[in-house]
């Protein structure tokens, strides 16, 4: 009996890892449209559409209202005290920091430019995750990470005439916010269903995001193009909500450091999407830098990562089904 268990356990782990990778890929496919759809929503400086602050707060508030319905229908347990810190960190990174910094940058640079810079996100996520989980990636992994960072900074300098622009600073800050938020969300996904994680992250942000969304409501909403409203609707329902259902479950099943690397496909998918959605030309140097960054990430994914028991919240999974502190 013990022999069968010892054989089946690695098989179950590999099956969970494969499922995690596929779910992570689904999440990446959803997130890949975030950059061009945000660009549609905010518009360029010469033809602005929705205010970046409204796009940030409005998409989070709209997704939070959907989350409230989901949490009530599934009778989800209220967050425990042990979970609240990670929820707040995830909210600060994924609900506020990442979308706001991205929207600010996309007022100044094309979607394709931003897509190349966001190629750093999987490496940032893996690095933050490795530090938080006390894993020890190999030297080769860190060499790939530094090479990818150098390529991104080189691309930013090339497009900025030899200097890094303020928009590039916003994008780099967005990557750090996103990575910290992803790691906090993945940590929470070990103690409760991942779908509930993003819902609670959005709901606890609602007292801030809803008033800000109402305050920053566009003064002339009828003057905003239908395309801009469509972009806003996409980032609300898919980028801010449903995409995380697949993404957090993929990170929980397949391992944060490993699964985060499937995001190497995100810049390429975003570049391709920007052509029909925004009419942006696909320039040769942009494509070359994007492929080079993805190559660094791809090679880094093959490098060994020391596996240590993850630091999980001390919350039994039974709290999700019985004896909760309360019900949503």
């Amino acid at each position: 009996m013990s022999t069968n268990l010892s054989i089946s356990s690695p098989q179950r782990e590999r099956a969970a890892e494969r499922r995690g990778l596929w779910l992570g890929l689904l999440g990446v496919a959803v997130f890949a449209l975030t950059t061009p759809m945000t660009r549609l929503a905010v518009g360029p400086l010469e033809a602005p559409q929705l205010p970046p602050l409204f796009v940030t707060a409005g998409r989070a508030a709209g997704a939070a209202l959907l989350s409230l319905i989901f949490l009530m229908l599934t009778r989800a347990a209220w967050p425990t005290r042990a979970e609240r810190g990670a929820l707040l960190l995830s909210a600060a990174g994924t609900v506020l920091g990442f979308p706001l910094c991205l929207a600010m940058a996309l007022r100044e640079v094309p979607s394709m430019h931003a897509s190349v810079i966001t190629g750093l996100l999987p490496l940032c996520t893996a690095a933050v995750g490795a530090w938080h989980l006390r894993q020890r990636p190999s030297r080769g992994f860190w060499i790939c990470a530094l090479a990818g960072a150098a390529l991104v900074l080189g691309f930013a300098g090339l497009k900025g005439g030899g200097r890094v622009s303020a928009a590039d600073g916003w994008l780099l800050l967005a990557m750090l916010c996103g990575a910290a938020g992803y790691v906090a969300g993945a940590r929470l996904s070990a103690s409760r269903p991942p779908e509930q994680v993003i819902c609670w992250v959005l709901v606890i942000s609602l007292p801030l995001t809803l008033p800000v969304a109402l305050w920053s409501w566009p003064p002339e909403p009828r003057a905003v193009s239908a395309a801009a409203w469509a972009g806003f609707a996409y980032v609300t329902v898919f980028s801010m909500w449903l995409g995380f259902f697949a993404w957090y479950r993929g990170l929980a099943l397949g391992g944060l450091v490993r699964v985060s690397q499937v995001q190497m496909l995100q810049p390429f998918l975003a570049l391709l999407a920007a052509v029909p959605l925004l009419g942006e030309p696909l320039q040769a140097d942009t494509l070359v830098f994007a492929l080079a960054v993805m190559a660094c990430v791809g090679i880094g994914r093959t490098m060994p990562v020391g596996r240590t028991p993850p630091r999980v919240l001390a919350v039994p999974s039974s709290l999700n089904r019985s004896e909760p502190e309360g019900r949503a």
Side-chain angles (χ1 to χ4, degrees):
M1 185 68 178
S2 60
T3 303
N4 292 336
L5 287 174
S6 64
I7 294 175
S8 61
S9 181
Q11 291 175 341
R12 285 197 300 269
E13 288 181 6
R14 285 193 294 269
E17 213 171 274
R18 284 194 299 270
R19 188 180 172 208
L21 286 171
W22 281 111
L23 286 169
L25 185 59
L26 176 60
V28 164
V30 173
F31 294 151
L33 293 181
T34 300
T35 304
M37 287 298 186
T38 302
R39 174 72 170 186
L40 269 181
V42 300
L45 278 175
E46 59 271 18
Q49 296 295 317
L50 295 168
L53 185 59
F54 170 75
V55 173
T56 301
R59 79 180 206 167
L65 296 177
L66 295 172
S67 297
L68 277 173
I69 297 171
F70 177 84
L71 292 170
M72 287 189 291
L73 290 177
T74 57
R75 297 179 58 81
W78 287 88
T80 64
R81 286 189 182 87
E83 292 175 311
R84 289 168 193 165
L87 281 171
L88 290 172
L89 178 58
S90 183
T94 58
V95 176
L96 301 176
F98 179 84
L100 179 59
C101 294
L102 181 64
M104 293 293 292
L106 285 170
R107 270 284 173 88
E108 300 180 33
V109 295
S111 170
M112 288 192 179
H113 179 105
S115 296
V116 175
I117 306 297
T118 57
L120 273 182
L121 184 55
L123 289 173
C124 289
T125 304
V128 173
W131 170 78
H132 182 74
L133 301 176
R134 296 181 181 177
Q135 293 182 335
R136 294 175 179 253
S138 65
R139 182 178 299 175
F141 178 90
W142 293 118
I143 290 174
C144 290
L146 291 174
L151 282 167
V152 167
L153 291 174
F155 173 79
L158 178 67
K159 291 298 184 181
R163 62 183 180 84
V164 177
S165 67
D168 293 316
W170 282 116
L171 288 168
L172 292 173
L173 186 57
M175 297 309 98
L176 293 175
C177 290
Y182 286 167
V183 171
R187 181 187 175 199
L188 285 164
S189 297
S191 62
R192 69 165 56 236
E195 297 82 7
Q196 293 182 15
V197 171
I198 185 57
C199 287
W200 279 118
V201 165
L202 290 163
V203 168
I204 67 169
S205 306
L206 192 59
L208 173 64
T209 57
L210 184 57
V212 173
L214 295 175
W215 179 78
S216 59
W217 184 268
E220 298 182 14
R222 292 185 179 180
V224 177
S225 69
W229 283 115
F232 174 74
Y234 182 91
V235 296
T236 298
V237 177
F238 294 96
S239 301
M240 195 74 262
W241 194 50
L242 291 179
F244 281 97
F245 280 38
W247 181 241
Y248 279 158
R249 185 164 290 278
L251 291 177
L253 286 173
L256 187 146
V257 174
R258 291 292 185 196
V259 175
S260 68
Q261 298 308 285
V262 301
Q263 278 189 312
M264 69 180 184
L265 297 174
Q266 188 168 323
F268 186 68
L269 294 175
L271 290 174
L272 295 180
V275 176
L277 288 174
L278 303 174
E280 294 181 5
L282 182 57
Q283 298 176 346
D285 59 348
T286 300
L287 182 59
V288 168
F289 271 93
L291 291 174
V293 171
M294 287 188 288
C296 288
V297 177
I299 296 171
R301 181 183 177 276
T302 66
M303 298 297 173
V305 176
R307 301 182 68 88
T308 58
R311 293 195 299 163
V312 180
L313 292 171
V315 182
S317 59
S318 60
L319 283 176
N320 298 317
R321 295 180 296 275
S322 63
E323 298 183 5
E325 292 188 1
R327 292 286 182 186

